Amino acid sequence: MHVGHVIPDSEWGMKSHSHPHHELIAVIQGRMRVSWPGGAREAVAGDVLLYPAGFPHDEISDAREPVETIFIAFTCPSIQSEGVVVAEDRRGRVRQAMRWLLEDRLAQGPGFGDARVALLRLIVNEFAFLRDAEVPGLVDRKSTRLNSSHRT
């Protein structure tokens, strides 16, 4: 698992790319244009996006309202999606848990690894809860085995 942060920058953008891992992105503030084969969307504060492993996408920050995001790169065999999945984190639970992961990403010592995996499970399950009504089967709740050994 890798956790990172994109700070607001009116010139930030990433041309079309994909990853061998899943990527979950929470928009903290600002706006960005996201596009992928067959779709596009303006992502705003409160949106959480899941890019499945191997799925091409690009992101461009809005020049007037630069985007700030927190992202997690991870593997999870139980996540099955054919494309980008977007959910609205109205209560801020996903974003808060992602902030905790970001703050503790460099912490060392007994228990920190287990705590990070537990937070990732919470985030993935909350994201699935937000999207269950619209995308049944995104996460097989019987199998929430996460591979936390991925590093980018």
Side-chain angles (χ1 to χ4, degrees):
M1 168 182 15
H2 174 76
V3 181
H5 184 218
V6 172
I7 60 171
D9 177 349
S10 61
E11 296 181 16
W12 180 86
M14 293 195 69
K15 294 185 182 203
S16 186
H17 64 287
S18 64
H19 313 280
H21 51 265
H22 302 303
E23 184 176 33
L24 193 67
I25 297 177
V27 180
I28 305 302
Q29 68 176 346
R31 300 173 174 277
M32 70 177 172
R33 180 77 175 161
V34 180
S35 59
W36 58 88
R41 161 182 196 108
E42 183 174 86
V44 298
D47 285 345
V48 181
L49 301 95
L50 172 70
Y51 302 127
F55 195 78
H57 57 280
D58 62 52
E59 304 154 328
I60 300 171
S61 182
D62 183 277
R64 290 169 289 168
E65 294 181 58
V67 73
E68 175 185 7
T69 64
I70 297 173
F71 62 89
I72 306 171
F74 65 101
T75 58
C76 181
S78 61
I79 290 182
Q80 301 164 6
S81 177
E82 298 293 318
V84 176
V85 180
V86 181
E88 187 178 342
D89 184 25
R90 290 186 183 109
R91 296 184 298 169
R93 293 165 56 115
V94 170
R95 287 172 288 158
Q96 183 59 53
M98 289 177 75
R99 283 183 185 103
W100 292 338
L101 270 179
L102 180 66
E103 290 171 9
D104 292 345
R105 73 187 183 276
L106 302 177
Q108 300 292 318
F112 279 106
D114 291 342
R116 282 191 281 271
V117 170
L119 273 173
L120 179 58
R121 281 192 179 110
L122 178 139
I123 290 164
V124 169
N125 285 333
E126 181 67 14
F127 181 78
F129 173 77
L130 294 171
R131 291 296 301 178
D132 267 350
E134 297 176 42
V135 185
L138 174 65
V139 174
D140 175 1
R141 293 191 186 274
K142 295 177 190 169
S143 172
T144 56
R145 187 183 69 210
L146 297 169
N147 179 348
S148 61
S149 63
H150 175 77
R151 303 211 189 277
T152 57

